[in-house]
């Protein structure tokens, strides 16, 4: 398994895995598959996002195929630069149960610590995703709030737990 920060050349692989994530786990993401496929020039947008200062996307590659990803995005405003958010955390079903998610999160946390500006990481997780919640708790995240009816997929509502990790 190879773990590394994604670069512009990884944009197509990222987009392919992102679409898989939106289709296989629609309750876990704020964006829908239907919205995603309607975007203009999605691969160019991914390339641009991968170049943004304070945006770190890490990937897990199994024999050169991207099977896991996570994004750490630092807030940009002066009063919130001490915070970052975890987005787009996903591991393909073929890679689950092998510690890939933990390794990706550890990379994101290490990057946050290395930045020396980031003091706190926030994330949201669907309350019914026990594996993800347990991983985040194991890494030291704490729940600071629960949002009922946070997401709606079809006629089903999903609750989210908001979690944070204080680095200092």
């Amino acid at each position: 398994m190879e773990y590394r920060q994604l670069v512009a050349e990884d944009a197509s692989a990222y987009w392919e895995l992102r679409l898989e994530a939106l289709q296989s786990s629609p309750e876990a993401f704020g964006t829908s598959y239907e919205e995603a496929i309607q975007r203009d020039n999605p691969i160019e947008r991914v390339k641009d996002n991968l170049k943004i200062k304070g945006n770190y996307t890490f990937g897990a590659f199994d024999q050169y195929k991207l099977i896991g990803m996570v994004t750490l995005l630092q807030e940009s405003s002066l009063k919130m630069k001490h915070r970052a958010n975890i987005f787009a955390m996903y591991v393909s079903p073929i890679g689950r149960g092998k510690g890939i998610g933990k390794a990706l999160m550890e990379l994101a946390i290490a990057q946050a610590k290395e930045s020396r500006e980031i003091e706190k990481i926030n994330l949201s997780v669907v309350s019914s995703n026990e594996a993800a919640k347990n991983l985040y708790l194991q890494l030291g995240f704490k729940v600071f709030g629960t949002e009922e009816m946070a997401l709606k997929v079809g006629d089903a509502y999903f609750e989210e737990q908001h979690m944070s990790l204080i680095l200092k």
Side-chain angles (χ1 to χ4, degrees):
M1 195 68 55
E2 178 192 3
Y3 297 95
R4 63 175 172 79
Q5 186 172 344
L6 300 185
V7 294
E9 291 76 24
D10 297 313
S12 292
Y14 175 91
W15 187 245
E16 182 180 322
L17 188 59
R18 176 73 173 158
L19 291 178
E20 174 189 314
L22 296 175
Q23 281 186 299
S24 69
S25 302
E27 74 287 350
F29 301 98
T31 302
S32 71
Y33 174 80
E34 294 76 18
E35 290 170 312
I37 61 172
Q38 291 177 10
R39 290 192 176 144
D40 292 330
N41 304 314
I43 297 191
E44 289 303 315
R45 288 176 69 178
V46 170
K47 284 181 183 178
D48 291 343
N49 287 342
L50 292 173
K51 296 175 188 175
I52 294 173
K53 184 181 183 313
N55 182 359
Y56 307 94
T57 299
F58 298 96
F61 293 84
D62 184 13
Q63 299 182 14
Y64 305 103
K65 179 171 175 52
L66 183 63
I67 64 166
M69 61 188 177
V70 67
T71 296
L72 174 77
L73 180 60
Q74 183 178 6
E75 297 278 354
S76 59
S77 70
L78 186 61
K79 292 182 180 181
M80 295 193 293
K81 285 184 80 125
H82 69 287
R83 299 183 343 191
N85 297 289
I86 293 288
F87 294 110
M89 173 63 178
Y90 179 74
V91 176
S92 189
I94 63 167
R96 292 182 189 161
K98 299 177 182 175
I100 294 169
K102 182 177 182 184
L104 288 167
M105 286 296 296
E106 287 173 341
L107 280 172
I109 293 167
Q111 179 63 56
K113 288 178 178 177
E114 186 178 307
S115 80
R116 298 198 178 156
E117 286 185 319
I118 300 170
E119 300 173 32
K120 176 183 173 184
I121 302 172
N122 292 327
L123 62 80
S124 295
V125 60
V126 173
S127 297
S128 59
N129 189 340
E130 293 297 328
K133 285 191 326 189
N134 288 335
L135 170 62
Y136 302 143
L137 291 169
Q138 179 186 43
L139 291 168
F141 283 82
K142 292 184 172 42
V143 175
F144 68 85
T146 301
E147 182 178 358
E148 295 177 4
M149 298 173 66
L151 297 172
K152 184 177 180 182
V153 180
D155 291 332
Y157 291 96
F158 294 89
E159 176 183 277
E160 281 187 335
Q161 288 186 325
H162 303 293
M163 304 177 89
S164 66
L165 174 66
I166 306 297
L167 300 176
K168 296 193 176 216

